[in-house]
Amino acid sequence: MRKLYIIAVSAIAALATSCSSDFLTVESNSQTFLEDYFTTEPHLQEALVAAYDPLEWFDWTNQYSPVNIMSDIMADQIWVGGSDKTDNAHWHLMMNYEAVPTNTLSSLISDCYSGVKRCNDVMTYITWVPDLPADIAASVEAQARVLRAFYYNILWKFWGNIPYYEVNLTGDLTCPQFTADEVYGKFIADLEGAIALNALPMKREGEETGRVTLAMAYMLYAEAVLYQNDESRFGKALDFLKEIISSGKYALLSDYGEIFKESGEWGSESIFEIDYKTTGGQRYWSWVRGAGGTVLPRLISPHSWSGSDGHDGGWGFAPVRKETFDMFDASDARRAATCWVIDPADSEKYNHRYQDTGIFLEKYAAYKANTDSEGDADLRFNNNLRYYRYAETLLYAAELVVRGAGSGDAADWLNQVHGRSLKGQSVSLSLDNIKEERRLEFVGEGKRYWDLVRWGDAASVLVPDSYGYRTNSWTPSKKYLPFPQSLMDSTEGKTYELKQNNY
Amino acid sequence: MKKIATLILAAGWALTAMAQNVPLKGTVQDSAGEPIIGAFVVQQGTANGSMTDVNGDFSLVTPPGAAIEVSCIGYATQVIINNGEQNLVVVLADDTQMLEETVVIGYGVQKKSVVTASIAKVDADALGVTAPTRVDNALKGLTAGVTVTASSGQPGASSRIRIRGTGSINSSDPIYIVDGMPISGGIDYLNPSDIESIEVLKDAASGAVYGTRAANGVVLVTTKKGSRGKAQIDYNFSYGLSSPWKEREVLNASEYALLINEGLVNSGAAPRYADPYSYGTGTNWQKEVFNYNAPQQTHEVSISGASDAVNYYLSLGYTDQQGIVGGNFGRSFYKRLTLRSNTGFTLWDASSERNFLNKMVLSNQLSYARVSSKGVAENSQWGSPLGSALALSPILGVYATDDQIAEYNTIYAGEKLVTDADGRVFMIPGGNFNEMVNPIASLSLPANDNWSHKIVGAFSGELQVWDNIKLHSTFSLDMSFWGNSGYTPLFYLSSNNRAGTTNVNAQYEKGLVWQVENYLTWNKDFGKHSVSLLLGQSALENSSDGLYGMRRDLAEEWYEKPYIGNAPNNTDDPDKQGANGWKNAPYRLASYFARADWNYDERYMAQVTFRRDGSSRFGANKKWGNFPSFSLGWNLHKEPYLTVPAWLSNAKVRFSWGVNGSDAFEAFRYTTLTAKDNNYILGTGENIAQGVKSSGLANPDLHWERSIQTNLGVDLGFWHNALTLGIDLYNKTTDGMLLQMPTPSYVGESSPWGNGGKMVNRGVELEASYKWGQGDWNFRLGGNATYLYNRLISMGNESGFNNYDSFQGAGTMTRGENGYPFPFFYGYKTDGVFQNQNEIDAYVNKDGEKIMPDAVPGDVRFVDVNGDGVFNDDDRTYIGNGMPDWTFGLNFSAGWKGFDFYMLWQSTVGNDILDVTRRTDISESNMPSYMLGRWTGEGTSNKYPRLVRGDNVNWQMSDLYVQDGSYLRLKNIQLGYTLPARLTQTVLVKSLRVYVAAENLLTLTGYRGYDPEISSGGTSLGVDYGVYPLPRTLLCGLNLKF
């Protein structure tokens, strides 16, 4: 009996003292080491999906910064709104060209660089997959590189002189900063390289819808080249656009109003959209990076709207300027599709917030049908963000022709767009008419501000208004936003210190 | 019947005996011949007695031959017989047993007289008095250096315990060790009356034996064992009623209408309410929300006893408590059932026969606890029941009027409006109040059922190996099962708080912790040298997993039986049902530890401890950490070379130094792994495509947080320890605090974790107690005081600060910054209100420029703190912090014959409260009554600014939100009466005590909120978003012993 206990006790003691480092090495039950995981094609494809993921964050990560609205508040067609000037204060400051490092756009920077980092990772993982078929490798690489250029394009337009890297950072995790021209040179070359891989289809169908296409890469190219006014590449840009037009894969929708309806998503006019969905969405305030809905319609709809026309309420941001409504001809189909004018009789059905005009942006207005009440309802709107439309392809191409990039049926391209909304009407081909067409066509789509800057019209157009909302004029130094102070602080004393933009 | 007759006869005999009394006179002395003052001289079994005077003299008249008991604290009681002597000298021997009081120190016990570390002990007597629901609450006010803050008045809410301050920017929770087993998830599974003692290891030297996890202090809980004798049965019962004791002062309906009008007019709009006074007082939302006289009850039964071979303690406890917010809706309650069996078996004892393998003792502690609870949202700025009660317009009613119902039928067509049991429709406040919904409607909806089962078992053996060497082996298990289930019916509270489909869900989780410990102890005396050694090993694993399931479209007829199986099985529609499951990576810890104690004649003491821990939370580079400590002590009063006056019965000086660690953070932060769910929507069907990325950036050198602490202590006892004093001074530095390293946001990945921050805590702890008596009276007065100094030395990042919480409409409000207490309230300083334009014009910088050019009369004058001549964001500064400078506890007990009285006072001084219960961004929100004192014209107010709708200039985060949170509270007061034994024994009851008590009877504070005890910890320490206040509870109960 006693022996038994002695044996038992000694056994326990022996067992327990045999603790080795094996005991302290535990494995995750839900995660794998990267080197073990990204070694098959399906896993590589998952890494690629993750590189698309940040596209959906722009409307909200740590800040509300829907990229279209962030552009348009700096232009002349919408106000900022909200409860007052401190509600999303950085928007109000940007609108009046007085952004400060302690209160400026910041989450857009980390969103875009998250995309860059993930694209770079995809480029690494391609080399980890043994026996990866060449066509798949090229397709994955082309998507990753076009996406990377897409993210850099946004950073470059908003901040200009940014850190640029194509291999992820190590060491003290800082990166050299380049001038805006250098950044342009780098990412446009990368984009050209991606296009040259010849691995992208002009248009995608079915399950592939939503991925990068050749048309999307071309549009990105044209946008960057035109914003840089890089005449050396105008010809190439025009060729690309003409390739889209001649492919016959894209066409204008006959009804402008259809573009922004649920039924218009990925319609024949859509070259690139950022996807959002309601049912089965995984996006919550606690997991904003989940794939799901968008908050944009909530942001820009009238506060506490209680009308029964199918619209849903919101927070009263981005009211459309009265002048924007007035610029449309009454017969222009774009007027009603752009401006949701609240009937004066319904004026009491919502809270009039700051800079209220009684007009809201119909293109992305909240509709009860576009969301449901599950989860975090505000973050569940299914409205895709229309990023590149075929209408812009036509107008870019027409502009390039007018600006001497080459030949093409520019008058027809312009009038396809013009005549779609103003039935039976046409205009003559001129740069001014193209500018006017873009002004009418893209309200609320984040184009106008960049157009004014690249045309050299910003300083004359973006001036104080008669309402006293914008008191400062745009100057060339306002082209690049200040970097957030926290970003400045985080590179202090490190290998590459970031230099603040002269805003 | 016969017994009662005997009683009457006995009483009669006592009366007649009085007639023949004789006096007895004498002196009481100690062994040194010094007179003992205040010794009791009492005729045994009676109330007849007296006390010795300053010369130690007494006189007492008793029947001749009566037995007289002479007693005094610190001495052995003596019984003498009254033989009529007039110069009797009674010499009382020192009570050695008292000095032998022991303290649990982790892997052993130590005589209190030779303890060199800083350890606070709370024994069963102190714990038993207050009959708390939860053990952690019981520690409140009892010891210095241990700050216990009730986290909430919600039944069953845990308390926040801080030992020697906020030790880290990360977890500052102490580790709880119950009967040797570290317990995760709190100790609310313990039945408080099962506890024999709680020791709090405060300094690094005492905690070092638990090295890795001791950086924030160690709470050692020891449960009861049976003591020798026949079975003892105890039954305790209490019943109480809880009510809120304070309402916040807010505007009534007329005042609300007036002020809303004023705000509109000041904002250039037309007033809304034509006749504000027509609304009367309106709805008192707080009264509607509060639940008055919420019942609670507790039953505890225990049976214990011991023989030579076996000792046992069995108990059963049940407690049931209803909350004062939502309790009447079944939304806030806590029920706990506990079972415990502690047994010990002496397998053999041959210690009289041989000196090897001569004794083997096996013991086990087995406990089970089941908790079921429901809770309401608390302390949230986003619409908790109390938050809504403060924000809703008093003009609105709880129920919708007929007009409103007609309106709802169009606005909310198709929505399921919430009704009460009688079908009355609740009012819907609409979008004007943002997240604030009708709290009564919200409380009427079902809440999640939370449940848990916990089984903790420890099986241990103690084998005497040879001489005084003992081998202890323990295997412990902590199995817990917890989860919740709930359902969402169709409902509409607001556009953001509604359900268009029903949902029924359940989540089950389970956890298992096992621990194996083996250690050898050896005690030996060599002459006056006494040595004890400890050498041991410990290994632990903690693993857990869970499962979640959900189905939609539960039909209304199943609302009473809301289980997943009763909802339709839509296997082909992934949106109609869902499941999730997870298995967490195990946490493992391997440890070796050693301790050596030495003392010479109990005069000089020294202790050295060393622990080496390996944790699975670190990479190969830094798996192991070493945690050394030592402590020294000197009992001056035992020093023969010093002439210590007789009244100084104890004088000890202690010093200790040690290193503790913390690895309380997530696994795998040292490496990068795959991260799922970085998905994107692709395809015409808008399918979610699985995206996988790397989890972050690795830091293979991640290592322990480390705290180094020195402690200097003095213990003094006077007059045979009738008066005791204890003083401890400490300095604790935590460095290598884990934080996300500062990396540029352009890295494209969340920052890696690293060891960067540094924090210091210094403090003074004072404890004193005094016991005395007079006649039948006895008293005890105990007090403690804690002073705490906390500073964040380094945030570990470039900027030297981090902003934490923010308040809607007011911006950042808490922050951690180098050189400041952690965390602190951050905002502007104000300097009154501009009374007129001249004052605005006169508020200029040195260049004569106006500092606040946009201000208008009635606006707050903000201070240009940095003196740069402009008022902007950079002028925000320290405006207070939530940690008290001083914490006090005072307890007083008194006894007279069968009566006992107890009270416990508790106090904090120097803590601030950030009162953010008013959402200034909600224009329609009701306002606190102090807004009646707002500025309305020159000279009206120099504190509260003019009223403007959505005012986010005057109500930016500033010291206007900060209030002094100091308070003095009568935490517990109790009056008990123990029935005379001769009465109760006739019905086989050993003793019966009945009592009445009150908790939180009286609170003196200048704070305007519900409760100066603010639950929020972490980075929102001291922030009041609308706490669930502690109730005032009136209790009665009984303690029965058989």
Side-chain angles (χ1 to χ4, degrees):
Chain A
M1 182 73 183
R2 189 179 312 156
K3 271 183 184 163
L4 211 65
Y5 284 111
I6 296 165
I7 291 165
V9 168
S10 331
I12 292 170
L15 204 77
T17 44
S18 69
C19 285
S20 66
S21 62
D22 284 351
F23 176 72
L24 295 176
T25 306
V26 297
E27 271 186 35
S28 167
N29 292 305
S30 56
Q31 297 169 291
T32 316
F33 287 108
L34 305 179
E35 299 79 5
D36 299 335
Y37 189 81
F38 292 113
T39 51
T40 66
E41 194 228 319
H43 291 175
L44 176 65
Q45 294 287 0
E46 290 176 349
L48 181 61
V49 168
Y52 281 90
D53 178 23
L55 295 174
E56 290 175 338
W57 307 347
F58 299 150
D59 59 333
W60 160 255
T61 31
N62 294 314
Q63 276 181 331
Y64 295 105
S65 45
V67 68
N68 54 329
I69 302 297
M70 289 307 88
S71 309
D72 282 342
I73 53 173
M74 296 191 286
D76 59 347
Q77 296 182 318
I78 60 168
W79 299 118
V80 174
S83 68
D84 51 62
K85 275 174 81 172
T86 61
D87 200 357
N88 278 327
H90 59 290
W91 296 20
H92 292 274
L93 294 170
M94 282 166 63
M95 176 263 203
N96 202 23
Y97 313 119
E98 54 190 7
V100 287
T102 48
N103 206 345
T104 185
L105 269 191
S106 61
S107 64
L108 193 58
I109 296 184
S110 42
D111 293 348
C112 287
Y113 277 109
S114 293
V116 168
K117 196 248 173 191
R118 293 173 185 200
C119 292
N120 293 345
D121 278 337
V122 170
M123 300 294 287
T124 306
Y125 302 153
I126 287 175
T127 64
W128 289 359
V129 183
D131 308 323
L132 185 66
D135 58 331
I136 291 173
S139 164
V140 171
E141 181 182 340
Q143 290 179 63
R145 288 173 69 180
V146 173
L147 271 178
R148 182 165 67 190
F150 181 87
Y151 290 121
Y152 272 127
N153 176 53
I154 294 176
L155 292 163
W156 168 69
K157 285 198 301 176
F158 278 92
W159 286 276
N161 313 300
I162 55 168
Y164 182 95
Y165 57 94
E166 292 179 2
V167 172
N168 284 331
L169 304 175
T170 52
D172 74 357
L173 301 169
T174 58
C175 172
Q177 184 179 13
F178 296 91
T179 65
D181 289 343
E182 288 169 339
V183 172
Y184 166 76
K186 283 174 182 291
F187 85 78
I188 207 76
D190 190 35
L191 182 58
E192 282 168 346
I195 291 169
L197 289 172
N198 214 2
L200 294 171
M202 183 57 79
K203 185 171 182 162
R204 295 188 187 264
E205 309 284 346
E207 288 313 293
E208 295 288 290
T209 307
R211 290 179 184 269
V212 166
T213 59
L214 190 58
M216 180 268 198
Y218 287 167
M219 287 298 290
L220 174 60
Y221 188 83
E223 180 191 346
V225 166
L226 276 163
Y227 190 64
Q228 179 70 7
N229 288 313
D230 177 6
E231 292 182 1
S232 70
R233 285 186 169 95
F234 273 12
K236 194 164 188 178
L238 179 60
D239 289 346
F240 284 164
L241 296 174
K242 286 201 295 200
E243 217 181 296
I244 300 176
I245 296 167
S246 63
S247 74
K249 301 267 187 190
Y250 297 94
L252 294 181
L253 287 179
S254 56
D255 179 356
Y256 185 87
E258 277 300 309
I259 300 169
F260 295 94
K261 297 224 170 97
E262 167 78 3
S263 55
E265 293 188 350
W266 291 111
S268 65
E269 189 171 339
S270 277
I271 291 179
F272 193 62
E273 296 182 12
I274 294 175
D275 270 324
Y276 292 102
K277 68 183 284 184
T278 297
T279 311
Q282 302 167 338
R283 199 166 186 223
Y284 302 93
W285 293 116
S286 56
W287 180 232
V288 296
R289 296 173 174 195
T294 176
V295 70
L296 174 61
R298 186 67 91 210
L299 272 168
I300 62 166
S301 295
H303 189 245
S304 296
W305 172 252
S306 61
S308 49
D309 60 348
H311 275 109
D312 204 353
W315 302 332
F317 284 100
V320 176
R321 296 194 188 193
K322 178 81 171 43
E323 296 75 7
T324 306
F325 176 80
D326 292 342
M327 76 181 178
F328 288 108
D329 190 285
S331 64
D332 194 330
R334 290 175 292 209
R335 189 168 81 173
T338 303
C339 302
W340 165 21
V341 184
I342 292 178
D343 189 323
D346 290 337
S347 182
E348 285 305 304
K349 290 188 174 165
Y350 74 103
N351 284 340
H352 297 231
R353 303 203 119 191
Y354 186 59
Q355 297 176 329
D356 182 52
T357 57
I359 309 171
F360 291 89
L361 187 61
E362 175 66 8
K363 288 178 179 175
Y364 293 105
Y367 274 90
K368 289 187 171 129
N370 287 343
T371 184
D372 64 23
S373 61
E374 294 306 319
D376 293 327
D378 296 330
L379 262 180
R380 288 183 70 86
F381 287 88
N382 67 11
N383 305 58
N384 286 1
L385 186 76
R386 278 64 163 180
Y387 207 94
Y388 291 128
R389 294 198 278 120
Y390 182 61
E392 193 172 20
T393 311
L394 296 172
L395 293 179
Y396 269 158
E399 183 177 341
L400 282 164
V401 170
V402 170
R403 292 174 70 178
S407 64
D409 200 353
D412 174 57
W413 297 335
L414 170 61
N415 279 310
Q416 279 188 41
V417 177
H418 187 81
R420 182 229 335 239
S421 299
L422 286 154
K423 296 287 183 220
Q425 294 188 29
S426 66
V427 286
S428 60
L429 180 66
S430 72
L431 187 55
D432 282 345
N433 282 342
I434 291 169
K435 286 181 177 181
E436 179 63 12
E437 207 59 48
R438 288 185 66 89
R439 179 163 94 110
L440 297 166
E441 182 73 16
F442 298 119
V443 175
E445 295 181 59
K447 309 287 178 186
R448 172 79 176 158
Y449 173 72
W450 314 109
D451 284 347
L452 291 172
V453 172
R454 68 188 176 86
W455 290 331
D457 297 341
S460 57
V461 174
L462 304 176
V463 294
D465 56 62
S466 58
Y467 304 89
Y469 295 143
R470 177 177 284 155
T471 55
N472 298 316
S473 293
W474 188 90
T475 61
S477 75
K478 304 299 176 188
K479 189 171 176 186
Y480 301 124
L481 285 173
F483 292 110
Q485 191 59 43
S486 55
L487 177 57
M488 299 299 300
D489 290 343
S490 66
T491 64
E492 218 172 88
K494 301 215 170 143
T495 312
Y496 301 104
E497 286 195 17
L498 195 63
K499 195 167 153 282
Q500 184 59 278
N501 282 329
N502 175 31
Y503 182 72
Chain B
M1 192 63 212
K2 195 173 163 190
K3 278 182 176 164
I4 292 170
T6 320
L7 268 174
I8 294 166
L9 279 175
W13 178 82
L15 280 171
T16 46
M18 292 284 261
Q20 305 147 20
N21 285 349
V22 292
L24 174 73
K25 286 188 176 171
T27 307
V28 182
Q29 295 176 350
D30 65 12
S31 48
E34 293 287 324
I36 296 175
I37 308 156
F40 294 106
V41 184
V42 183
Q43 183 186 348
Q44 264 190 341
T46 74
N48 181 25
S50 78
M51 259 176 91
T52 55
D53 62 16
V54 287
N55 300 315
D57 294 344
F58 70 93
S59 72
L60 186 68
V61 180
T62 73
I68 294 171
E69 210 173 83
V70 181
S71 64
C72 184
I73 291 158
Y75 300 91
T77 300
Q78 215 179 99
V79 178
I80 53 174
I81 303 297
N82 183 357
N83 53 8
E85 210 181 307
Q86 298 297 299
N87 289 307
L88 181 70
V89 174
V90 183
V91 178
L92 292 185
D94 286 347
D95 184 354
T96 48
Q97 205 173 355
M98 175 146 170
L99 298 174
E100 291 291 328
E101 192 185 340
T102 57
V103 174
V104 180
I105 57 168
Y107 307 105
V109 293
Q110 197 175 19
K111 275 164 72 177
K112 197 174 180 185
S113 58
V114 298
V115 167
T116 47
S118 181
I119 300 172
K121 175 172 179 167
V122 180
D123 60 17
D125 291 346
L127 289 172
V129 173
T130 54
T133 311
R134 287 178 55 116
V135 179
D136 38 16
N137 292 334
L139 285 172
K140 197 174 209 164
L142 292 179
T143 66
V146 182
T147 317
V148 181
T149 313
S151 85
S152 148
Q154 186 126 264
S158 62
S159 288
R160 192 181 72 240
I161 297 189
R162 290 287 172 268
I163 296 171
R164 297 192 159 174
T166 304
S168 169
I169 56 171
N170 298 307
S171 170
S172 296
D173 293 326
I175 175 176
Y176 297 93
I177 306 231
V178 179
D179 294 322
M181 177 69 174
I183 297 295
S184 53
I187 51 171
D188 77 319
Y189 78 100
L190 287 170
N191 178 8
S193 67
D194 288 347
I195 292 172
E196 179 63 36
S197 74
I198 298 178
E199 269 88 357
V200 181
L201 310 184
K202 297 193 286 191
D203 65 348
S206 55
V209 78
Y210 293 106
T212 345
R213 297 155 297 169
N216 294 308
V218 182
V219 178
L220 292 179
V221 179
T222 309
T223 59
K224 284 178 177 166
K225 289 188 177 69
S227 48
R228 193 170 285 260
K230 68 178 175 108
Q232 160 142 346
I233 303 172
D234 282 66
Y235 170 67
N236 298 322
F237 165 74
S238 76
Y239 181 83
L241 294 172
S242 298
S243 294
W245 52 275
K246 187 177 187 181
E247 279 179 25
R248 268 180 177 265
E249 291 177 19
V250 293
L251 305 182
N252 68 28
S254 300
E255 293 164 342
Y256 172 81
L258 271 174
L259 266 65
I260 289 290
N261 279 352
E262 183 180 321
L264 285 163
V265 169
N266 286 350
S267 313
R272 180 183 307 155
Y273 301 104
D275 181 7
Y277 291 103
S278 65
Y279 297 101
T281 53
T283 307
N284 181 339
W285 283 104
Q286 297 180 72
K287 270 220 159 53
E288 299 293 339
V289 166
F290 276 132
N291 174 26
Y292 295 85
N293 294 323
Q296 66 177 72
Q297 58 171 324
T298 302
H299 300 268
E300 292 163 349
V301 187
S302 68
I303 305 169
S304 64
S307 67
D308 285 345
V310 180
N311 71 69
Y312 60 92
Y313 174 90
L314 297 164
S315 82
L316 170 69
Y318 177 75
T319 184
D320 179 348
Q321 203 179 342
Q322 198 186 81
I324 58 167
V325 177
N328 45 341
F329 291 90
R331 284 287 303 264
S332 175
F333 65 78
Y334 178 80
K335 294 175 185 173
R336 183 187 61 212
L337 175 74
T338 58
L339 289 168
R340 172 170 291 276
S341 164
N342 289 355
T343 45
F345 309 93
T346 304
L347 292 191
W348 71 82
D349 185 353
S351 44
S352 53
E353 295 162 30
R354 58 173 187 267
N355 72 343
F356 61 94
L357 300 178
N358 60 20
K359 190 174 179 187
M360 175 89 185
V361 178
L362 289 183
S363 58
N364 78 61
Q365 286 98 18
L366 197 57
S367 73
Y368 165 77
R370 189 199 73 186
V371 172
S372 97
S373 67
K374 283 189 184 185
V376 300
E378 55 185 51
N379 212 20
S380 155
Q381 58 179 310
W382 312 114
S384 63
L386 276 176
S388 297
L390 296 176
L392 284 192
S393 158
I395 293 175
L396 298 171
V398 173
Y399 295 99
T401 61
D402 291 343
D403 287 351
Q404 283 171 327
I405 292 174
E407 192 190 345
Y408 295 171
N409 287 339
T410 57
I411 313 177
Y412 308 125
E415 299 287 356
K416 175 82 178 169
L417 305 185
V418 184
T419 58
D420 72 0
D422 302 328
R424 286 205 287 169
V425 176
F426 286 112
M427 182 276 304
I428 299 171
N432 287 343
F433 295 90
N434 291 23
E435 298 84 4
M436 311 297 172
V437 297
N438 184 337
I440 312 300
S442 155
L443 288 171
S444 303
L445 295 171
N448 269 11
D449 267 310
N450 304 308
W451 53 267
S452 71
H453 300 268
K454 191 175 183 79
I455 300 160
V456 180
F459 305 90
S460 51
E462 181 185 303
L463 176 70
Q464 192 270 5
V465 181
W466 181 72
D467 201 14
N468 280 325
I469 299 173
K470 283 180 186 162
L471 171 67
H472 308 255
S473 291
T474 307
F475 180 69
S476 316
L477 279 175
D478 168 359
M479 277 176 281
S480 20
F481 307 86
W482 68 98
N484 61 70
S485 61
Y487 76 106
T488 313
L490 296 177
F491 74 89
Y492 186 93
L493 293 174
S494 77
S495 61
N496 285 327
N497 197 343
R498 58 186 275 271
T501 59
T502 58
N503 170 328
V504 47
N505 58 72
Q507 180 164 321
Y508 283 61
E509 292 185 73
K510 70 180 206 293
L512 173 67
V513 186
W514 60 256
Q515 178 183 263
V516 175
E517 294 196 313
N518 297 286
Y519 57 96
L520 289 163
T521 57
W522 180 62
N523 302 302
K524 188 87 176 171
D525 292 344
F526 303 94
K528 287 187 169 180
H529 294 272
S530 176
V531 174
S532 75
L533 298 174
L534 164 77
L535 182 67
Q537 157 280 328
S538 169
L540 172 145
E541 180 184 273
N542 185 345
S543 56
S544 59
D545 59 78
L547 192 59
Y548 167 85
M550 179 277 291
R551 275 186 190 172
R552 291 190 191 283
D553 295 345
L554 183 76
E556 191 160 347
E557 64 259 37
W558 289 102
Y559 278 9
E560 294 299 311
K561 295 172 182 172
Y563 311 111
I564 291 178
N566 293 341
N569 181 11
N570 289 301
T571 41
D572 47 356
D573 187 346
D575 290 322
K576 296 286 188 188
Q577 56 187 31
N580 193 12
W582 54 95
K583 185 167 173 60
N584 301 317
Y587 165 60
R588 290 194 188 135
L589 188 71
S591 316
Y592 301 95
F593 49 88
R595 182 172 62 210
D597 282 284
W598 164 85
N599 77 69
Y600 175 76
D601 196 23
E602 296 194 2
R603 233 188 287 162
Y604 310 117
M605 291 84 73
Q607 185 180 69
V608 179
T609 309
F610 180 80
R611 181 157 175 146
R612 181 169 165 77
D613 274 321
S615 164
S616 62
R617 287 180 180 150
F618 300 107
N621 298 4
K622 300 279 180 184
K623 251 188 187 6
W624 291 88
N626 297 328
F627 303 98
S629 84
F630 73 89
S631 57
L632 304 168
W634 181 24
N635 274 324
L636 278 81
H637 63 287
K638 296 204 171 170
E639 194 60 73
Y641 311 110
L642 294 173
T643 38
V644 177
W647 46 262
L648 183 64
S649 46
N650 183 29
K652 180 160 73 175
V653 183
R654 299 175 274 109
F655 174 80
S656 76
W657 174 91
V659 182
N660 294 158
S662 173
D663 67 348
F665 57 92
E666 283 172 34
F668 302 118
R669 283 191 172 158
Y670 65 91
T671 185
T672 46
L673 298 168
T674 52
K676 280 189 297 205
D677 290 332
N678 287 277
N679 304 342
Y680 190 70
I681 301 162
L682 289 173
T684 42
E686 296 197 326
N687 304 312
I688 291 182
Q690 180 66 228
V692 177
K693 63 178 272 277
S694 76
S695 59
L697 298 165
N699 177 4
D701 291 328
L702 198 69
H703 60 84
W704 312 85
E705 267 186 37
R706 201 170 66 133
S707 91
I708 300 177
Q709 189 177 180
T710 48
N711 190 90
L712 181 65
V714 176
D715 298 323
L716 298 171
F718 303 93
W719 299 294
H720 296 275
N721 292 347
L723 172 67
T724 61
L725 284 177
I727 305 162
D728 274 281
L729 307 171
Y730 66 87
N731 182 19
K732 175 173 166 183
T733 307
T734 307
D735 66 6
M737 285 192 301
L738 287 164
L739 45 91
Q740 285 196 285
M741 301 307 283
T743 52
S745 57
Y746 62 64
V747 172
E749 193 57 83
S750 52
S751 299
W753 288 82
N755 302 84
K758 185 171 180 180
M759 192 179 294
V760 65
N761 282 279
R762 288 179 199 136
V764 180
E765 293 162 4
L766 302 168
E767 284 194 320
S769 84
Y770 184 55
K771 302 173 234 185
W772 77 100
Q774 177 99 45
D776 292 331
W777 292 93
N778 66 75
F779 303 96
R780 185 184 180 281
L781 181 64
N784 61 71
T786 305
Y787 171 78
L788 182 74
Y789 167 96
N790 165 281
R791 285 292 181 275
L792 180 67
I793 302 300
S794 166
M795 193 82 227
N797 59 7
E798 304 287 335
S799 61
F801 67 84
N802 264 333
N803 287 337
Y804 294 109
D805 303 350
S806 62
F807 187 62
Q808 191 69 9
T812 299
M813 62 181 177
T814 64
R815 172 169 166 125
E817 184 171 349
N818 298 353
Y820 286 94
F822 182 88
F824 64 92
F825 307 146
Y826 183 64
Y828 299 103
K829 285 203 154 135
T830 63
D831 180 24
V833 171
F834 288 117
Q835 300 297 326
N836 51 49
Q837 189 62 40
N838 288 345
E839 290 190 14
I840 296 166
D841 297 342
Y843 189 43
V844 293
N845 61 23
K846 60 181 188 318
D847 301 326
E849 295 160 345
K850 282 191 240 181
I851 291 174
M852 292 182 64
D854 298 335
V856 301
D859 279 348
V860 170
R861 178 187 299 137
F862 290 102
V863 180
D864 175 23
V865 171
N866 63 4
D868 64 355
V870 288
F871 168 69
N872 59 21
D873 278 2
D874 299 335
D875 291 310
R876 289 178 296 172
T877 185
Y878 172 91
I879 53 172
N881 85 90
M883 184 58 98
D885 298 328
W886 284 96
T887 311
F888 300 97
L890 183 75
N891 58 75
F892 173 75
S893 57
W896 182 73
K897 297 194 174 171
F899 289 95
D900 59 85
F901 173 77
Y902 175 82
M903 60 180 179
L904 173 64
W905 292 82
Q906 204 204 324
S907 172
T908 68
V909 174
N911 55 310
D912 302 307
I913 296 175
L914 193 73
D915 178 16
V916 288
T917 47
R918 178 186 167 212
R919 284 269 302 267
T920 52
D921 64 316
I922 303 179
S923 299
E924 307 299 324
S925 171
N926 197 7
M927 287 168 249
S929 293
Y930 61 75
M931 285 305 290
L932 292 170
R934 75 216 169 276
W935 188 91
T936 51
E938 198 165 337
T940 45
S941 170
N942 198 31
K943 175 154 192 192
Y944 298 113
R946 71 200 173 99
L947 185 61
V948 198
R949 285 169 76 79
D951 186 346
N952 42 34
V953 177
N954 289 310
W955 289 102
Q956 296 178 82
M957 188 46 58
S958 75
D959 52 18
L960 284 181
Y961 288 92
V962 179
Q963 284 218 300
D964 186 359
S966 305
Y967 68 91
L968 172 64
R969 169 171 276 174
L970 178 53
K971 179 77 200 143
N972 203 290
I973 182 165
Q974 195 170 120
L975 180 66
Y977 177 65
T978 305
L979 272 65
R982 61 176 190 272
L983 277 184
T984 53
Q985 273 166 4
T986 58
V987 287
L988 298 175
V989 170
K990 202 183 278 172
S991 92
L992 171 62
R993 173 176 176 268
V994 292
Y995 65 90
V996 289
E999 283 174 23
N1000 307 320
L1001 188 61
L1002 181 69
T1003 304
L1004 303 173
T1005 178
Y1007 179 58
R1008 64 191 172 209
Y1010 287 118
D1011 203 314
E1013 268 195 83
I1014 302 296
S1015 61
S1016 24
T1019 56
S1020 26
L1021 184 77
V1023 179
D1024 184 358
Y1025 294 104
V1027 294
Y1028 192 131
L1030 290 177
R1032 173 180 292 155
T1033 308
L1034 303 174
L1035 290 148
C1036 60
L1038 60 87
N1039 312 114
L1040 198 57
K1041 286 184 197 297
F1042 295 96

